Amino acid sequence: MSQQAPDIDGATENLTLVQAVRDGLQSEMRDDEDVLVMGEDVGKNGGVFRATDGLYEEFGEDRVIDTPLAEAGIVGTAIGMAAYGLKPVPEIQFLGFIYPAFDQIVSHAARLRTRSRGRFTAQMVIRAPYGGGIRAPEHHSESTEAMFAHQPGLKVQIPSTPYDAKGMLIAAIRDPDPVVFLEPKLIYRAFREEVPDESYEVPLGEAAVRREGSDISVFTWGAMTRPTMEAAEELAEEDGIDAEVVDLRSMSPLDKDTIVESFKKTGRAAVVHEAPKSGGLGGEIATIIQEEALMYQEAPVERITGFDTPFPLYALEDYYLPEPARIKKGIRDAVSF
Amino acid sequence: MVSDTNPHFEDVDAETVDELLEQMVRIRRFEEGVLDEFSEGSVPGFVHLCHGHEASHAGMGVAMQPDDWLAVGGSRLHGQYIVKGVPFDEIMAELFGKATGPNGGKGGSMHLADVDRHLYGHAATIGSGQNPAAGLALAQQMRETGNVVLSTIGDGGTSRGSFHTALVFAAAWNLPVVYIIENNGFAISYSTQQQVGIDSLADYGKPLNIPSYSIDGSDPVAVYETISEAITRAREGGGPTLVESRVTRLRGHFEGDKQAYRTEEEARESNAERDPVTNFQERVIEAGHITAEAYDALVDEIDDEVGAAIQFAKDSPDPAPSTAYEDVLRLPLYGQGEGDA
Ligand SMILES: Cc1ncc(C[n+]2csc(CCOP(=O)(O)OP(=O)(O)O)c2C)c(N)n1
Ligand SMILES: [Mg+2]
């Protein structure tokens, strides 16, 4: 279980999350010439969210590749390159546009290791901005991490801080297996953090306890980490409820040890995610708790989530996304059960 | 069969010229209104304006019958909604995310659907709508409705396999569908030259023996004539047509696009040469079809309608939280009570 504030010696820069992503890409591309990025508008344009800003100028068109608009082509081609030993980092412009590539991801990337009896792996990182809060409906806002976590053979990672974004991305690029790397675009530029200039890894598969507490464990990830922290602080003040907030960071594999350890301490849990409730990862987390710590359980697991609807536009978005008031209500319900 | 038709103005009757002009001006003035409101912060999300595509939209709109279906594609959509006959008020309200929009304010700019007007809704996954268009066309054929389906797509979207699959189905079953590629030279920053090594995107129809045309999409008469012919062919059982309508994207991909990928000079040049609205305006006035005064009056009249639509959108209510579950198929898995909304 890693702790909240990283110890940093050496030079740092105060970066936003999207700048840290860019920094991670640049760092790995400098260190390893097999690493390359590809996708729609990633080159000359620097990416629609500027996650690849300046990379085209530094590394040229052979390593920062503008592709035609075709996600199946982008990911499928990257898989073949990876099979040959390159380390592509394809970008999908918005997670909602990944569906055409799903066949390639599931049928090829996730199964290459098994199918080749371990001779080949698809060493690649599929990056995609995801999640709501930017006033655009449907594809531009949805959170489908559960669809990928459901596929054996894929790792699914979601950073929620600039420090983690760089370190997890570097670890993902170095990981021999395909990683789906989802970036919470709502907080791409929401805040800055000191990020080391040097290269470093934040290990994949490990949750981070963002706030220690004794009354309830609240599991969350991505852009929901901030409103959850806010809710926890307010509850401490208003109700004297001491919530532990766990940023899962890894949707696959889930950090079972941290989940269970935290739950055994508190006996109560809530999960906060922006994806729809039905079939969301909240259900998986609740089941882990049941399987591993039933006798510690003092209340049903509360799920505070988006609705079972397509992601709505604008006026309804503020209701759709869990915010501190709704999160506090869910936590209170679990604590007072 | 790729041809560069440049039909003469005189080829179409005066009434058609009026309609084409009016539709083009309607699109441009509407988009100017959207631009103002977007700058003011009234329009949420992204806005992709149609500047440069007006003639293409007007030409296909005037060529269509009201019962023909339109399955829109590409990013330049407002003009397509307009020529399909959706009133300004309703489109504007949807753009503002208001309850009075055709999607109840839950769809916005990119997803407007109006089934009564035979406007099939758009998914923002570029290049996916052509397959449902083939299905709509097959249904028209099976039920002998006599209706034709038009389906648009941008140059960028044509890279996707789904688009090519749609052509395969349309050709295999001789479907009454007209595919229109609005080639504006760019998919955001990626230019058509980078994308393909063929001369014209209409060539994509060649291997399937689909009659294919590449036309100047900033000439409304050329668009009208080519699409009319294609619609007639489809209605008479002659099967699909593929049209590349060459246009210019006069603004950024979306409002706020810094366009780091093209120089200001490049953008300015294309504006001056290929602005379909000013070009057609000059042409009709020069030909004596309409006086400059009458043209100004037309613009004023349309501006009033745009102003009224903006007011209507502003005065309209937001969708109520309880509507979150309206029209949503809720499978009895866990679901969530309306009380949660
Ligand atoms: C499947 C998919 N991938 C990516 C996007 C993001 N995107 C939106 S518009 C666009 C470019 C579209 O270009 P084109 O088809 O030529 O239409 P235009 O914008 O020029 O009208 C891209 C890449 C998308 N909407 N759908
Ligand atoms: Mg285009």
Side-chain angles (χ1 to χ4, degrees):
Chain A
M1 194 193 297
S2 54
Q3 284 303 313
Q4 192 179 346
D7 289 331
I8 302 172
D9 313 316
T12 63
E13 209 181 337
N14 204 21
L15 299 182
T16 62
L17 197 151
V18 69
Q19 287 171 331
V21 166
R22 198 207 79 97
D23 204 45
L25 288 170
Q26 184 181 41
S27 168
E28 276 307 270
M29 291 180 78
R30 284 180 181 169
D31 287 355
D32 181 349
E33 63 176 28
D34 287 338
V35 178
L36 52 93
V37 306
M38 57 199 290
E40 294 157 11
D41 310 290
V42 299
K44 250 188 270 174
N45 198 37
V48 294
F49 289 102
R50 317 238 54 83
T52 56
D53 201 14
L55 300 183
Y56 180 86
E57 288 72 17
E58 178 170 349
F59 300 106
E61 61 182 11
D62 287 344
R63 292 183 67 201
V64 184
I65 307 171
D66 274 321
T67 68
L69 192 168
E71 286 71 14
I74 296 167
V75 175
T77 306
I79 293 167
M81 295 159 88
Y84 194 74
L86 300 175
K87 293 165 192 160
V89 185
E91 172 181 295
I92 300 296
Q93 211 161 71
F94 286 80
L95 182 60
F97 301 140
I98 207 168
Y99 307 124
F102 205 59
D103 177 25
Q104 296 292 334
I105 295 171
V106 174
S107 309
H108 290 272
R111 300 183 190 180
L112 191 59
R113 175 188 280 277
T114 309
R115 198 172 285 141
S116 68
R117 301 184 73 187
R119 298 247 343 265
F120 283 145
T121 61
Q123 180 162 358
M124 61 195 287
V125 180
I126 302 168
R127 291 183 41 249
Y130 89 105
I134 62 154
R135 304 286 190 227
E138 289 198 34
H139 308 81
H140 292 90
S141 291
E142 51 211 22
S143 301
T144 51
E145 63 274 16
M147 281 177 25
F148 299 95
H150 191 60
Q151 304 303 322
L154 293 179
K155 289 181 180 163
V156 183
Q157 305 295 309
I158 302 181
S160 73
T161 66
Y163 180 87
D164 280 358
K166 178 171 175 179
M168 287 168 65
L169 181 58
I170 289 174
I173 293 171
R174 294 177 185 171
D175 191 279
D177 287 291
V179 177
V180 175
F181 195 82
L182 305 181
E183 299 162 6
K185 61 178 167 301
L186 177 62
I187 54 171
Y188 257 163
R189 294 181 174 81
F191 60 100
R192 289 172 181 271
E193 189 177 45
E194 291 301 324
V195 173
D197 289 347
E198 64 176 34
S199 180
Y200 62 94
E201 289 188 40
V202 172
L204 307 185
E206 288 187 13
V209 176
R210 300 292 182 197
R211 182 185 197 283
E212 292 201 39
S214 54
D215 293 332
I216 181 168
S217 305
V218 188
F219 301 106
T220 189
W221 54 90
M224 292 297 102
T225 305
R226 277 158 58 88
T228 302
M229 287 293 283
E230 213 177 295
E233 295 304 335
E234 288 176 19
L235 280 170
E237 210 157 281
E238 294 164 11
D239 299 38
I241 294 174
D242 187 20
E244 177 146 304
V245 177
V246 182
D247 174 4
L248 288 180
R249 299 197 293 198
S250 176
M251 305 298 109
S252 176
L254 278 170
D255 183 353
K256 230 183 196 178
D257 292 346
T258 300
I259 294 171
V260 172
E261 192 183 319
S262 175
F263 185 75
K264 282 184 175 169
K265 188 169 75 175
T266 63
R268 296 168 197 269
V271 183
V272 184
H273 65 60
E274 50 180 295
K277 183 188 261 183
S278 299
L281 285 170
E284 201 59 41
I285 292 157
T287 309
I288 289 174
I289 288 170
Q290 300 261 306
E291 287 172 346
E292 305 284 329
L294 184 63
M295 293 310 168
Y296 294 79
Q297 186 160 2
E298 292 176 40
V301 177
E302 278 289 325
R303 287 181 289 169
I304 304 150
T305 69
F307 306 148
D308 290 352
T309 72
F311 197 98
L313 178 67
Y314 185 46
L316 293 177
E317 181 178 76
D318 293 340
Y319 297 95
Y320 183 95
L321 289 175
E323 33 70 56
R326 185 141 70 98
I327 298 170
K328 284 198 293 191
K329 179 180 178 301
I331 293 176
R332 283 195 189 108
D333 286 351
V335 171
S336 64
F337 179 80
Chain B
M1 234 202 267
V2 175
S3 68
D4 208 326
T5 42
N6 189 12
H8 295 293
F9 191 58
E10 299 75 38
D11 289 351
V12 288
D13 57 39
E15 206 181 306
T16 304
V17 174
D18 279 345
E19 279 184 69
L20 291 169
L21 180 67
E22 188 181 334
Q23 290 292 2
M24 287 174 68
V25 177
R26 283 178 70 79
I27 297 168
R28 174 62 60 88
R29 300 315 302 168
F30 183 89
E31 293 291 64
E32 288 290 324
V34 173
L35 180 53
D36 289 346
E37 291 304 312
F38 183 74
S39 317
E40 303 267 303
S42 312
V43 182
F46 308 106
V47 167
H48 308 84
L49 295 178
C50 292
H51 291 63
H53 287 236
E54 293 88 349
S56 187
H57 294 167
M60 70 179 84
V62 175
M64 245 185 295
Q65 293 301 311
D67 278 347
D68 290 333
W69 283 85
L70 177 62
V72 301
S75 314
R76 323 284 138 206
L77 301 169
H78 307 162
Q80 302 184 55
Y81 305 150
I82 290 169
V83 301
K84 196 70 187 86
V86 186
F88 278 4
D89 281 1
E90 295 182 24
I91 305 174
M92 199 63 89
E94 191 58 48
L95 262 52
F96 276 63
K98 295 300 184 79
T100 47
N103 299 40
K106 292 195 276 181
S109 160
M110 285 176 279
H111 300 283
L112 200 136
D114 189 339
V115 173
D116 291 335
R117 292 192 176 89
H118 288 194
L119 175 67
Y120 177 81
H122 179 243
T125 36
I126 293 273
S128 63
Q130 293 65 42
N131 309 86
L136 274 169
L138 180 57
Q140 308 309 307
Q141 191 183 62
M142 286 176 162
R143 291 291 177 264
E144 297 175 2
T145 64
N147 297 332
V148 168
V149 181
L150 271 71
S151 177
T152 53
I153 186 169
D155 47 286
T158 62
S159 296
R160 285 196 50 199
S162 45
F163 164 68
H164 294 274
T165 305
L167 294 185
V168 168
F169 279 55
W173 294 331
N174 208 39
L175 298 178
V177 57
V178 183
Y179 288 112
I180 301 151
I181 303 167
E182 292 198 320
N183 182 358
N184 60 13
F186 282 104
I188 307 188
S189 70
Y190 195 67
S191 71
T192 317
Q193 287 101 305
Q194 281 173 286
Q195 182 190 331
V196 280
I198 56 178
D199 297 333
S200 146
L201 295 176
D203 287 356
Y204 281 148
K206 271 186 181 171
L208 296 164
N209 285 328
I210 295 176
S212 306
Y213 303 86
S214 179
I215 59 171
D216 178 359
S218 49
D219 177 355
V221 179
V223 179
Y224 168 78
E225 294 207 313
T226 308
I227 307 282
S228 296
E229 198 186 302
I231 288 176
T232 303
R233 179 172 30 250
R235 236 191 273 293
E236 290 173 354
T241 301
L242 178 64
V243 179
E244 178 193 45
S245 174
R246 299 190 313 273
V247 294
T248 303
R249 199 190 73 199
L250 296 180
R251 301 188 62 85
H253 170 68
F254 55 87
E255 288 315 303
D257 182 359
K258 293 199 179 64
Q259 302 198 67
Y261 46 87
R262 67 171 168 179
T263 63
E264 249 176 65
E265 202 181 329
E266 280 166 344
R268 247 201 323 273
E269 262 174 33
S270 57
N271 281 17
E273 280 173 28
R274 309 245 316 155
D275 183 330
V277 179
T278 46
N279 285 348
F280 199 55
Q281 171 199 353
E282 280 166 17
R283 235 169 109 194
V284 286
I285 292 174
E286 227 166 74
H289 182 81
I290 186 173
T291 62
E293 293 72 39
Y295 180 83
D296 290 344
L298 174 70
V299 171
D300 286 346
E301 192 186 310
I302 291 170
D303 277 347
D304 288 346
E305 201 183 328
V306 172
I310 291 168
Q311 200 52 50
F312 174 78
K314 286 187 172 161
D315 294 345
S316 293
D318 282 342
S322 60
T323 63
Y325 288 111
E326 265 173 27
D327 310 315
V328 175
L329 175 65
R330 296 172 67 201
L331 298 173
L333 188 48
Y334 304 108
Q336 283 173 286
E338 274 75 4
D340 294 346

